[in-house]
Each structure stands twice: as C-alpha cells, then as structure tokens.
Amino acid sequence: MVNGSGIHYEAVFRALPAPVALLTTDLVYADVNVAFTALTGRSREQLVGKYIFDVFPDNPGDADASGMRNLEASLRRVAATGERDTMALQRYDVEDPTGSGVWEERYWSPVNTPVLGPGGEVALILHRVEEVTELIRGRAAAAGGDRARVLEAELYSRARELQEVNERLRQSHAREHEVALSLQAAMLPAPVPLGRRNAAVRYRPAVGALNVCGDWYDLAELPDDRLAVAVGDVVGHGLAAAGVMGQLRSALSAASRVAQGPGRALDVLGLYARSVEGAESSTAFLAVVDWADRTVAYSSAGHPPAALVHPDATVEFLDGATDPPLGARPEHVDRPQATAAFTAGASLVLYTDGLVERRDEDIETSLQRLAGSLTRHHGAGPELLADAVLADLLPTGGATDDTALIVIGL
C-alpha cells in the first residue's frame, strides 16, 4: 500500500531489520518479514495462514515448558485490551524445521503491539521477537556454566526494567486521562430544559484508566417547533480524540442550525473533517424532529441507526439514509437523507456504539438486544427509559468504550 507521501509500507515492513510478524486476533500468521523467516528458519509458506502454535508448539519432551502458554496469554491479552505487552524473557525451544523431532533450547524477548482498525478495534497484532540465546549462553559460560543462575539474574534485571517503564507509563497515562476527562466534560453540553419537550441524556465513560474516548452528543432547538439531536464517535482514545470530538461537535451543532436538513449538515461536517487531523473515519448521526408535521428527518455517516419506538411497542431502526464515515470517500458525494413518521407517545433513541457493540457478536444481534429492551420498557418517560436501557445493555462492570444515550419523548 502506498499512501499520499509515496511511501510503500509493505516494502518497509519486509525490509525491517527486526524480526516481525503480523497475527490475526485468532493468532494466525497474516504476514511475516524477511528477518522473521531468517530467525525462525521457516519460509513464508510455512507460516502465513497457519496458527502460531501449530508452527511453534511447546517442546513435548520438557514437562516444564511454558513459553507457548505465556506467549498465548500475552497475545490474547493484547487482542482483548488493545494495550501493548512487553514480555519478560522467555525460554521457548524450537523444533528443527525438518520436523525431525530435534529441539533446540532458545531464549526470546517478545513485544506484542495492537494494530487498530478504523473503528478502534484490534484488527491485527504486531509480534516482534528478539532472540537472546547467544547472550544467555555467553553469560553462562562466563559464570562457569551456571545457566540457571544467569537466566535468573537476566529475568530479574528485565523485570525491574519493565516495572520502571510501566510505572512511568502509568503516571503519564493517568495525567493524560485526567486532562482528557476534563476536556471531554467541558466540551459536552450540559442537559438543559427543552421547553415543553422531554429529553433524557446519559453519558457513561469507559471503564479503565486509559480509555477516554471520543463519543459526543448535541441537542439544538430550531425554529418552527423543531429539534436537532446528534451523536457521534471519533476513532481513537485519549486527549487527541477528546480534542477532535470537540471540534466535530461544535461544527455539526453550527451546521444543523443553518443547513437545509440533516443530510446537508453532514455534508458540511464531512468537508470540515477533511481539514481536522484525526477526524477522518469518525461517525455521526443527525436527526431533526419536526413536531408540526410529526416527522423525523435523519442522515447517518457510518453510525449505528437511531431507534424510533412507536406507541404500540414496535421498534423502527432509522437506517434508510446510511453513508460511510466522515472522509471515507476519496471524492465528496452528497449525503443521503430520509424521513420517518411518528405519532404522539413515541420515543426517539440515539446512542453511540458503546451501548450495543460487543467483540463476540455481530451488529444485528446487538441491535436486536437493544430493540428487546426498548420494547420491554416502552411507554416509560425518557428518564426512566434511558436508565432502563443502560441497566439492560451495559455490562455490570462497565463498558470498555464510552456510551452516549439520548432519549426524546415525541
């Protein structure tokens, strides 16, 4: 792949001097560089498409072998948390490439790093390995052959180094987390009375000290008894995501007040997002409620659909005007817009993906779970409905992504 700078990143990956492999979240080799094949003694054909521990199992002749189990735990932890893991020194014996049953004692220092997809999910794991077998053997020889004592000292030294690095990172992340939370709170509007209209707003930050995300919401009263309501989500976490979130929320809030409908407002936002670093691939959903003609006009830029809960408890997902995320197209194309009718007693529910998306299920299953909750609690006022939906859908210990939820009584 070549980006706008003319850099061919696949060629860069293959030429890296450090041995590096890309793994899927199922721990299957997606790609390896030349240094990795040279270090492991395996060809690309022997690696790519194979489960890592089918290629490199633990030594069956060593009852104390634990390298595979330790590495697997690290890789699955990275896939689940999206956080980098620098492992302690590992003994991980390797079988002769011919499959002769001859195993060689080897020592490795692996680093496993998440590669995030456009939605912020872990798409791949970058697995870098540094072999230190000769270092261990050399120090053992200098110590009179006492390899166990040398390995113990090496492990202790590496553990101390990692502990110091982790503590510095923890302190740095904690400071960034505090600043990002303050910025996030300052940029999100406090719920205010909407005249004679009823609305409930809920915002639940992600659990975990490092997961400050870029979710946002906005409500704006418009002339002629109309209300603009929006939600959005910025790719990424931390202070940078909070800053981008504030810019996009402000831009869409302004556009929704002057543009002719939500589709045109998202057009404006999409063009603006191209000039904001970190804004591309963000999602947004904008609806304009018109009580005079009892309609909801809406448009979506890659965001989960809002739900219109009718008085008879049926749930209609507003997915008739869905388009790619902001800045996803190389050329600008006008955003679609659709309209849905409602009757008195209905509710409009907008939310961000932290409410519904789960790593182990598809989005249709997630939406049906939301529909079931809305059906069970239909007829409740916005405040009660918002609390009931959060109680039904958010995990007991809290979600790993921010959640914004808006309920409008129609």
Side-chain angles (χ1 to χ4, degrees), residues 12 26 29 41 133 142 148 150 157 164 201 303 311 320 351 355 363 410:
V12 172
D26 294 325
Y29 284 108
T133 304
V150 170
S157 175
E164 292 173 1
V201 175
H303 200 82
Y351 54 93
L355 182 70
I363 188 62
L410 304 177

Side-chain angles (χ1 to χ4, degrees), residues 78-405:
V78 171
T81 65
E83 297 177 6
R84 174 177 170 173
D85 187 26
T86 301
M87 298 182 65
L89 192 66
Q90 299 289 320
R91 175 185 169 182
Y92 196 149
D93 297 352
V94 176
E95 186 180 14
D96 184 274
T98 63
S100 62
V102 177
W103 293 74
E104 181 183 0
E105 182 180 297
R106 307 275 282 272
Y107 295 89
W108 312 87
S109 180
V111 179
N112 302 312
T113 305
V115 179
L116 303 182
E121 76 287 356
V122 178
L124 294 167
I125 301 171
L126 188 72
H127 173 56
R128 181 180 69 81
V129 290
E130 175 188 356
E131 186 176 6
V132 293
T133 304
E134 293 306 317
L135 174 65
I136 296 299
R137 288 173 177 169
R139 292 188 179 181
D146 192 348
R147 186 171 298 173
R149 183 164 60 83
V150 170
L151 181 58
E152 181 181 1
E154 188 71 26
L155 286 172
Y156 178 76
S157 175
R158 288 295 183 100
R160 286 293 301 272
E161 291 174 6
L162 286 174
Q163 185 178 14
E164 292 173 1
V165 170
N166 287 335
E167 178 59 22
R168 289 196 295 270
L169 286 173
R170 187 194 65 78
Q171 293 176 0
S172 175
H173 287 150
R175 287 193 296 271
E176 179 179 328
H177 173 261
E178 183 178 353
V179 173
L181 274 180
S182 299
L183 179 62
Q184 199 174 40
M187 289 180 174
L188 291 175
V192 297
L194 298 174
R196 57 193 179 89
R197 305 304 177 187
N198 294 321
V201 175
R202 300 289 185 271
Y203 194 92
R204 298 290 183 269
V207 296
L210 307 182
N211 290 333
V212 178
C213 308
D215 293 23
W216 53 271
Y217 62 86
D218 191 61
L219 297 97
E221 290 191 89
L222 304 179
D224 303 321
D225 201 18
R226 294 178 300 144
L227 174 71
V229 54
V231 290
D233 191 0
V234 172
V235 175
H237 305 275
L239 191 57
V244 173
M245 172 271 289
Q247 294 179 74
L248 294 185
R249 189 201 68 80
S250 297
L252 185 57
S253 184
S256 65
R257 287 170 163 83
V258 297
Q260 295 298 312
R264 183 55 186 151
L266 285 184
D267 278 341
V268 174
L269 184 67
L271 291 170
Y272 174 70
R274 293 173 182 271
S275 67
V276 178
E277 184 177 356
E280 291 189 359
S281 297
S282 298
T283 67
F285 189 102
L286 174 62
V288 175
V289 181
D290 189 330
W291 274 275
D293 62 8
R294 294 193 181 280
T295 60
V296 178
Y298 64 93
S299 185
S300 173
H303 200 82
L308 183 58
V309 187
H310 295 285
D312 64 357
T314 58
V315 177
E316 177 184 359
F317 283 109
L318 304 185
D319 55 6
T322 299
D323 218 30
L326 303 176
R329 285 196 177 100
E331 301 294 335
H332 176 72
V333 176
D334 289 346
R335 297 274 176 182
Q337 180 174 309
T339 302
F342 66 86
T343 57
S347 298
L348 179 64
V349 180
L350 284 75
Y351 54 93
T352 55
D353 57 9
L355 182 70
V356 293
E357 289 188 358
R358 302 293 179 264
R359 292 184 186 274
D360 57 350
E361 67 182 19
D362 61 63
I363 188 62
E364 289 303 320
T365 301
S366 302
L367 292 178
Q368 288 308 308
R369 185 172 60 250
L370 171 59
S373 177
L374 293 172
T375 296
R376 284 193 301 275
H377 304 292
H378 87 283
E383 297 288 344
L384 292 177
L385 183 57
D387 289 337
V389 168
L390 290 178
D392 283 352
L393 271 64
L394 290 188
T396 303
T400 56
D401 195 3
D402 284 11
T403 298
L405 173 67

